[in-house]
Amino acid sequence: MPPAPPIPQTTGVANFFGWAGTLGSLLLFASPTSTFVKIAKERTTGNYALLPYTAGILNAATWVSYTAVTPDRLQTAVTNGTGVASMTVWLILFTKYSPDRGAVLSQIAAVFVIWAVLTIMAVHFITDDWFTPLRKGETCKTEFLGMFCIAFNILLYGSPLSAAKRVIETQSVANMPLPLSLATTVCSLMWSIYSILVQDAWVGLPNMAGTLLGLLQLCIYAKYCRNQEGEEERLVTPGSSLRAALRQ
């Protein structure tokens, strides 16, 4: 067999797209701000789901572990380190205003255990004699964590499809914010280009999937964006159903 090619080093163009992806990711991490302003005003999480935030911090934390065992991935480290910090803030606020703090804390603890187990296994137990790395210079630790990063990332990108299903059912885009769909698509596209330039499949596969899922959301939005009227239950503000009932 010919020797596997070495890991390419980042170039100026790759760095540009890496930092562009970082900027897009930071905007995505800030996107729940309006949601938590509403939650703070209502002083309850209402029907908001915890999953986007637990999935977000698990995904970001696993990518941080990946960068710790993979050289020359500064943009990925900065992006996901910021992601861990922002998701921690959202989880603290979610816990504060949740009517069932015990269940919330249990799910957060489970996420921490999953991340800790994967990271400890990669750092202390996975050795290069487990299997042959795909490329020279890449380690089994990188590829072990990379597989989980791909799975968590695709799961995170796929979660908005539940909103897309609701849009199709109601023929209204009230539950699909256009800025979030645009930011997801652009961010995924930047990271996809970056991954091609540095030949990093672990970064590329989930973000290429994210680009396709983002484009799918935009197509659905374009189809139903003119159907803005809908029933009161489409409102996303916690307590909106109660206020609608009081107005009757």
Side-chain angles (χ1 to χ4, degrees):
M1 288 180 60
I7 297 178
Q9 298 300 306
T10 54
T11 63
V13 176
N15 276 322
F16 170 80
F17 282 103
W19 289 116
T22 297
L23 178 59
S25 297
L26 296 180
L27 294 175
L28 278 177
F29 293 143
S31 63
T33 301
S34 59
T35 297
F36 279 92
V37 168
K38 295 174 183 177
I39 288 175
K41 288 180 179 178
E42 298 285 340
R43 304 196 67 79
T44 177
T45 54
N47 292 322
Y48 283 107
L50 177 63
L51 180 60
Y53 310 107
T54 52
I57 198 169
L58 176 60
N59 176 66
T62 306
W63 276 112
V64 169
S65 298
Y66 169 87
T67 63
V69 298
T70 306
D72 202 23
R73 293 295 180 266
L74 177 61
Q75 292 95 340
T76 309
V78 171
T79 299
N80 289 284
T82 305
V84 170
S86 62
M87 288 299 167
T88 299
V89 172
W90 303 138
L91 285 171
I92 290 173
L93 291 173
F94 199 102
T95 304
K96 177 180 179 180
Y97 293 111
S98 174
D100 190 356
R101 294 182 182 178
V104 171
L105 291 173
S106 296
Q107 293 182 55
I108 294 173
V111 165
F112 176 80
V113 169
I114 292 172
W115 167 78
V117 168
L118 292 176
T119 301
I120 291 171
M121 285 186 64
V123 173
H124 296 290
F125 295 101
I126 302 296
T127 59
D128 287 338
D129 57 2
W130 277 42
F131 52 85
T132 303
L134 296 177
R135 290 177 296 174
K136 183 180 179 180
E138 196 167 76
T139 66
C140 291
K141 299 177 188 293
T142 289
E143 298 190 356
F144 172 78
L145 286 174
M147 289 186 290
F148 285 98
C149 287
I150 288 176
F152 296 152
N153 224 156
I154 293 176
L155 178 64
L156 185 63
Y157 281 137
S159 60
L161 287 178
S162 59
K165 179 176 181 292
R166 178 67 173 163
V167 168
I168 295 172
E169 290 175 346
T170 62
Q171 299 192 4
S172 169
V173 294
N175 287 331
M176 181 180 282
L178 180 59
L180 179 59
S181 297
L182 281 171
T184 298
T185 306
V186 173
C187 175
S188 300
L189 180 60
M190 293 300 101
W191 282 117
S192 296
I193 296 173
Y194 170 83
S195 71
I196 293 171
L197 293 172
V198 300
Q199 298 181 30
D200 191 331
W202 306 118
V203 174
L205 289 176
N207 284 287
M208 290 176 186
T211 301
L212 294 176
L213 291 170
L215 289 172
L216 177 60
Q217 293 176 56
L218 293 178
C219 289
I220 293 172
Y221 190 97
K223 181 175 181 178
Y224 296 106
C225 63
R226 296 180 182 178
N227 302 327
Q228 291 296 333
E229 286 127 18
E231 54 199 35
E232 290 287 337
E233 68 178 12
R234 294 175 193 169
L235 297 176
V236 297
T237 304
S240 58
S241 298
L242 176 59
R243 290 197 299 271
L246 292 175
R247 288 199 298 267
Q248 295 178 350

